Amino acid sequence: MKKAADVRFDLALAKEILDSYFCFSGVQSRLYASDGTLVYEQGQQNNCCEACRNVTKAAGCTHQCEQIHLHGMKNAEQFGGRYIYFCPMHMVYYSSPILISGVQAGAFVCGPVLIMDVDDYLEEETEMLDADPEGRELFRRAVELLPQVEPRQMNYLSQQLFADAVYVSDSVQELLILRSKNLHQGMINDYI
């Protein structure tokens, strides 16, 4: 069996698919290698993650965002080809793996999105954000630009990302088997 580091996928196709996904969804979209290395990004003009890192650092907190996304990528493979998760700042992300010869060669990761009103979200995060008024305002402006989606729409966005990952993968059967084996994640997605 091939090791993940030895596996390659059509990078040009993956980038094209990610561009299309961002164009219709408006959700920041990333392509990662299987080791968690960022390969390509679309939609970084609203860099909410950068604003988040700045404000949380000023408040004395550090988050291992790359590790969280790597964990999300691995869970997407385990839980049926798609996985919806929260970052430490309670923003929603979702991912789907790209499988080549049955091995995860990379993944699409999209987000952040909000599944609640911006003011409600910021009100919940005020403890963290009270530390730096200037950073809080920059963060607020970045959050206001994030896509806000209903939970049902979140599920559809995740399903479309899965379909896009299947298109780039050569292991459609393995992804479909993963998906049918784990209905539990589907119930979690519906609940979220």
Side-chain angles (χ1 to χ4, degrees), residues 27-28 30 69 83-95 109-116 121 146-147 149 151 154-155 157-158 192:
V27 178
Q28 188 171 4
R30 298 172 190 88
H69 295 313
Y83 187 67
I84 299 171
Y85 58 100
F86 291 95
C87 75
M89 289 296 289
H90 307 111
M91 290 183 249
V92 178
Y93 289 82
Y94 50 104
S95 63
V109 175
C110 296
V113 299
L114 292 179
I115 56 173
M116 64 175 65
Y121 170 78
L146 290 178
V149 298
M154 180 72 250
N155 188 43
L157 288 169
S158 176
I192 290 175

Side-chain angles (χ1 to χ4, degrees), residues 127-144:
E127 289 177 25
M128 172 81 59
L129 302 176
D130 280 344
D132 177 20
E134 184 179 319
R136 182 177 59 230
E137 184 54 33
L138 290 173
F139 183 66
R140 172 184 261 295
R141 282 187 266 158
V143 168
E144 287 173 344

